[in-house]
């Protein structure tokens, strides 16, 4: 696998596990605040290449406690040339407490749509590496809620402590 694909995969999996947020003690007030559509864009640079990863995630709150989410992460190289690498979509369930957001991906919901400019071996390697990363975990991850307002959500990854800033888009 070439270095660009490995870089994209590493960055993507970090973002995925931040946004894939299953069950801890829930807080319906916090869950109501999170209900809606959010977007986060991250840029990363390596070896003279800039990668852009944009996640759009919709949290659907349910009074029954059966909260669901649907997420799309789009990946592109933005410099030195622009190239859309593709996107990954997935969904699952989520819950939140006053300071923590947790979720579980439905592993059957994961769908890859990779650029036709990538050769077949790179596509296979990307999917294989991505799925093996998920299988090493249990499809569950979480993040600390640093702040939430009507328009902004700030989360901190529990493993690498990276901060993700989401804007409400609906």
């Amino acid at each position: 696998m070439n270095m660009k694909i490995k870089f994209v995969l590493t960055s993507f999996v970090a973002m995925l596990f931040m946004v894939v947020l299953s069950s801890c003690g829930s807080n319906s007030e916090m869950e109501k605040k999170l209900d809606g559509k959010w977007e986060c864009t991250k840029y990363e640079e390596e070896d003279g290449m800039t990668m852009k990863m944009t996640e759009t995630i919709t949290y659907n709150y349910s009074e029954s406690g059966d909260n669901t989410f649907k997420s799309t992460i789009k990946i592109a190289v933005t410099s030195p040339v622009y190239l859309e690498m593709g996107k990954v979509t997935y969904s699952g369930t989520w819950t939140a407490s006053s300071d923590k957001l947790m979720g579980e991906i439905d592993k059957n919901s994961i769908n890859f749509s990779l650029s036709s400019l990538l050769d077949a071996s790179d596509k296979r390697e990307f999917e294989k590496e991505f799925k093996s990363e998920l299988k090493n975990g249990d499809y569950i991850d979480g993040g600390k809620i640093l702040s939430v307002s009507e328009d902004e959500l700030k989360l901190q990854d529990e493993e690498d402590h990276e901060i993700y800033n989401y804007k409400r888009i609906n």
Side-chain angles (χ1 to χ4, degrees):
M1 178 189 297
N2 68 42
M3 287 303 293
K4 290 180 202 171
I5 298 297
K6 283 187 180 186
F7 173 65
V8 169
L9 178 63
T10 301
S11 300
F12 170 74
V13 169
M15 186 174 221
L16 169 74
F17 281 119
M18 181 60 236
V19 291
V20 176
L21 301 167
S22 177
S23 319
C24 58
S26 71
N27 177 318
S28 62
E29 290 307 311
M30 178 58 78
E31 291 173 347
K32 287 177 187 175
K33 287 181 184 178
L34 296 172
D35 185 58
K37 195 172 192 176
W38 300 86
E39 187 171 88
C40 176
T41 299
K42 292 293 258 185
Y43 291 89
E44 297 198 19
E45 293 187 30
E46 186 174 300
D47 297 330
M49 180 176 62
T50 302
M51 299 297 302
K52 176 183 177 184
M53 289 152 289
T54 301
E55 181 194 25
T56 303
I57 188 164
T58 302
Y59 293 109
N60 295 303
Y61 168 74
S62 170
E63 288 192 22
S64 69
D66 297 326
N67 303 332
T68 60
F69 72 86
K70 185 166 185 151
S71 179
T72 300
I73 297 179
K74 294 180 181 178
I75 308 153
V77 174
T78 60
S79 78
V81 296
Y82 185 84
L83 170 64
E84 289 185 12
M85 303 287 288
K87 69 179 180 178
V88 179
T89 59
Y90 54 93
S91 59
T93 58
W94 67 279
T95 189
S97 66
S98 62
D99 66 346
K100 192 168 187 173
L101 178 59
M102 296 293 290
E104 182 172 5
I105 297 173
D106 172 359
K107 61 185 172 185
N108 296 318
S109 72
I110 301 167
N111 183 41
F112 296 91
S113 176
L114 301 175
S115 171
S116 62
L117 297 175
L118 296 175
D119 66 34
S121 65
D122 281 343
K123 287 180 182 180
R124 281 191 305 273
E125 189 69 19
F126 185 91
E127 290 184 25
K128 177 183 170 191
E129 290 291 324
F130 174 77
K131 288 177 179 176
S132 75
E133 285 290 328
L134 288 176
K135 287 179 183 169
N136 289 338
D138 54 8
Y139 294 85
I140 297 174
D141 197 24
K144 182 177 182 179
I145 298 172
L146 299 177
S147 63
V148 62
S149 69
E150 187 65 32
D151 300 322
E152 295 181 339
L153 169 62
K154 185 181 281 191
L155 300 173
Q156 184 175 34
D157 185 275
E158 291 183 327
E159 292 180 18
D160 67 10
H161 304 290
E162 187 165 354
I163 294 174
Y164 294 83
N165 295 299
Y166 289 81
K167 300 284 185 197
R168 190 180 295 274
I169 58 173
N170 63 337

